Amino acid sequence: MTSQPTLTKPDQDPGEPGSGTGLQAGLKNRHLSMIAIGGVIGAGLFVGSSTGIATAGPGILLSYALVGTLVVLVMRMLGEMSAANPTSGSFSAHADRALGPWAGFSIGWLYWFFWVVVLAVEATAGAAILESWIPAVPQWGWALIVMVVLTATNLVSVGSYGEFEFWFAGIKVVAIGAFIVVGGLAVFGVLPGADTDKAGFGNLVDHGGFLPNGPGAILTGVLLVVFSFMGSEIATLAAGESEDPQRAVTKSTNSIIWRIGVFYLGSILVVVTLLPWDDPAIKEDGSYVAALDSLGIGNAGQIMNFIVLTSVLSCLNSGLYTASRMAFSLGERGDAPKAFARTTSRGVPMTAIIASVVFGFVAVFFNYKFPDSVFLFLVNSSGAVALFVWLVICFSQLRMRKIIEAEAPEKLVVRMWLYPYLTWAAAALIVFVLGYMLTDTEHDGRKTVLLSLLVAAVVLVVAFVRQRGRTGDRERATDPVR
């Protein structure tokens, strides 16, 4: 099976053997726990849910439930493979072992591409908020500042990344928890001093029914919310740098159900019960701001801006970490320059981090210089990568289960439910969503899938050419006549 990266202890002396030769076990249990919890709470939940609610009405709950169920199944599969073999390459390394080097190469580079584009998107979003607070610094200046600060954080040590992410994720978790508690009290009419005239469970059915735009809106809602779940898999990548990787993976996998149930379904349920789904404020101000405003809570917009900024910084921090670790894994397997697999004495893959952030800076430049052409292409062409990753995880698990059972059955501490039936069902649902996206012209679903497929096809061609070249080199090396 794919070997786990070399790990060194945080307190290991730089002069000791092994230091600077691999990643470092510098993430504590509290870091991993918060990374796992915060990983499912992206900025997309706060800023993207309003479009979904306006499209599907209260039925958006079914869209979130459907995608949430899919994510739970995919994370269970990934948890099974990662608990048996924790590695910073996660699903890319598993695909390499289960499906072949072409699969690990392709999905690894596509995933890296996705996250470096996300760096630009999130840096720009965060810069817009910061500029509204301190206009003396231009937006591009703020984008540069946040990118530099978080790059420096990741370059220091994996522990500093974990510490920053612990607090970023902690703020998100507390904010969502407080929102659910406050909103829940308001729905039941027991929140002191709140304006609860619009609140009530009647909002679920009183404005055109639970599905005011018909059952088809559920699937449209799926397209709008599916990408806000990307990031759930970060905990399995980070586990490779923890002191007890198997325990970390098992814990994060087993807790995914309640995390999605509380943070996604719980908070969206609060929104659609606090005010009618067709309230104009949801689209104008955003779903969470509109919900707080409906209770008469002052400065709701600024409160949510702070929470969104925290989510953006968290996403930036994790995005840079994730992209660099995927690049590191690709370098270890010979699918990227060997320099990507080199680490400092602190166990930091400096070259992989710098390469990732440089591409992120280039993407930020394209966003300001060519927002409607080059940058739009980058965003759309990376948009369906989440679904590609989940599909590869499904097919990898189908093969990897047999490999683990044959080689080390005692490592199956996490098992996929109803294997292989639920795995095939999840794969079929992903293919269905991709197919349905091809019919969506209103929200650019078709363009996203087609451009993402184009980029994937290019990467696949490169993968097969590389694999064929390597096979030829091995044949020539073993045949003196040739």
Side-chain angles (χ1 to χ4, degrees):
M1 298 180 67
T2 307
S3 62
Q4 182 178 335
T6 305
L7 294 180
T8 57
K9 294 296 181 182
D11 55 354
Q12 185 177 29
D13 186 80
E16 291 181 24
S19 66
T21 61
L23 299 179
Q24 186 181 91
L27 291 177
K28 301 176 182 178
N29 288 334
R30 65 183 179 87
H31 293 154
L32 264 296
S33 296
M34 198 56 76
I35 288 170
I37 294 172
V40 297
I41 309 174
L45 174 63
F46 298 109
V47 300
S49 55
S50 56
T51 304
I53 293 172
T55 300
I60 195 66
L61 288 167
L62 297 181
S63 302
Y64 274 104
L66 188 60
V67 179
T69 300
L70 176 60
V71 172
V72 167
L73 295 178
V74 171
M75 283 300 297
R76 187 74 184 183
M77 299 175 220
L78 183 55
E80 176 182 291
M81 296 184 289
S82 295
N85 183 37
T87 168
S88 62
S90 189
F91 51 83
S92 174
H94 303 322
D96 187 288
R97 177 72 174 94
L99 305 178
W102 65 269
F105 176 95
S106 302
I107 206 64
W109 276 114
L110 284 173
Y111 192 69
W112 178 87
F113 174 59
F114 171 85
W115 278 109
V116 292
V117 172
V118 166
L119 290 180
V121 173
E122 299 295 342
T124 304
I129 295 174
L130 289 167
E131 187 191 30
S132 70
W133 292 345
I134 309 177
V137 179
Q139 194 175 113
W140 65 266
W142 281 119
L144 181 65
I145 289 170
V146 296
M147 289 275 276
V148 168
V149 169
L150 293 178
T151 299
T153 299
N154 275 265
L155 285 172
V156 171
S157 70
V158 67
S160 63
Y161 154 74
E163 198 64 33
F164 267 71
E165 190 56 25
F166 176 82
W167 291 106
F168 286 151
I171 292 173
K172 291 191 293 184
V173 170
V174 170
I176 287 276
F179 176 81
I180 292 173
V181 170
V182 170
L185 292 173
V187 170
F188 288 103
V190 293
L191 184 66
D195 181 4
T196 58
D197 291 342
K198 293 183 178 181
F201 287 102
N203 285 325
L204 295 175
V205 294
D206 288 347
H207 300 269
F210 186 71
L211 295 172
N213 297 322
I218 298 174
L219 292 176
T220 304
V222 165
L223 305 185
L224 296 173
V225 306
V226 66
F227 303 111
S228 65
F229 283 84
M230 193 65 168
S232 306
E233 70 292 330
I234 291 176
T236 63
L237 280 90
E241 293 178 82
S242 68
E243 296 176 351
D244 190 351
Q246 190 177 77
R247 178 178 177 272
V249 169
T250 303
K251 186 176 180 180
S252 65
T253 301
N254 291 335
S255 64
I256 188 70
I257 297 176
W258 73 260
R259 286 185 279 138
I260 289 177
V262 171
F263 297 127
Y264 278 85
L265 292 176
S267 63
I268 295 298
L269 176 62
V270 168
V271 170
V272 294
T273 51
L274 281 180
L275 71 171
W277 69 271
D278 55 356
D279 192 307
I282 290 181
K283 288 197 72 173
E284 293 171 4
D285 304 325
S287 51
Y288 290 81
V289 173
L292 292 175
D293 275 337
S294 72
L295 300 178
I297 296 177
N299 298 314
Q302 292 303 321
I303 293 172
M304 286 309 304
N305 272 341
F306 173 74
I307 296 170
V308 170
L309 178 62
T310 302
S311 296
V312 163
L313 295 177
S314 171
C315 192
L316 268 171
N317 195 37
S318 289
L320 183 53
Y321 170 84
T322 305
S324 64
R325 267 41 175 196
M326 186 57 72
F328 170 85
S329 179
L330 288 166
E332 274 207 324
R333 287 178 272 140
D335 290 335
K338 283 295 183 184
F340 284 12
R342 298 193 193 115
T343 57
T344 66
S345 60
R346 293 189 178 93
V348 175
M350 184 172 65
T351 304
I353 291 175
I354 292 175
S356 300
V357 81
V358 164
F359 193 95
F361 277 128
V362 171
V364 169
F365 169 76
F366 285 145
N367 189 18
Y368 287 107
K369 195 70 175 177
F370 312 105
D372 299 322
S373 54
V374 180
F375 187 71
L376 190 61
F377 170 80
L378 291 176
V379 172
N380 284 330
S381 61
S382 65
V385 167
L387 293 170
F388 295 164
V389 167
W390 295 347
L391 194 59
V392 167
I393 290 173
C394 292
F395 290 126
S396 297
Q397 190 266 337
L398 286 169
R399 172 71 178 135
M400 189 63 83
R401 166 66 77 89
K402 297 176 182 178
I403 295 174
I404 299 172
E405 287 178 336
E407 296 182 354
E410 71 279 2
K411 291 187 176 181
L412 279 172
V413 294
V414 176
R415 289 176 177 267
M416 177 59 185
W417 307 296
L418 296 178
Y419 168 84
Y421 307 109
L422 276 182
T423 301
W424 279 111
L429 181 57
I430 294 169
V431 172
F432 174 78
V433 171
L434 284 168
Y436 189 77
M437 286 180 70
L438 289 173
T439 69
D440 175 43
T441 56
E442 183 180 354
H443 303 100
D444 287 336
R446 177 183 295 175
K447 181 186 296 184
T448 297
V449 171
L450 292 177
L451 288 177
S452 296
L453 285 172
L454 173 63
V455 172
V458 172
V459 175
L460 278 170
V461 169
V462 174
F464 280 119
V465 170
R466 281 176 57 86
Q467 186 169 333
R468 192 168 181 177
R470 287 182 175 181
T471 302
D473 290 341
R474 284 195 295 268
E475 290 175 351
R476 285 188 290 274
T478 56
D479 187 350
V481 177
R482 298 178 63 182

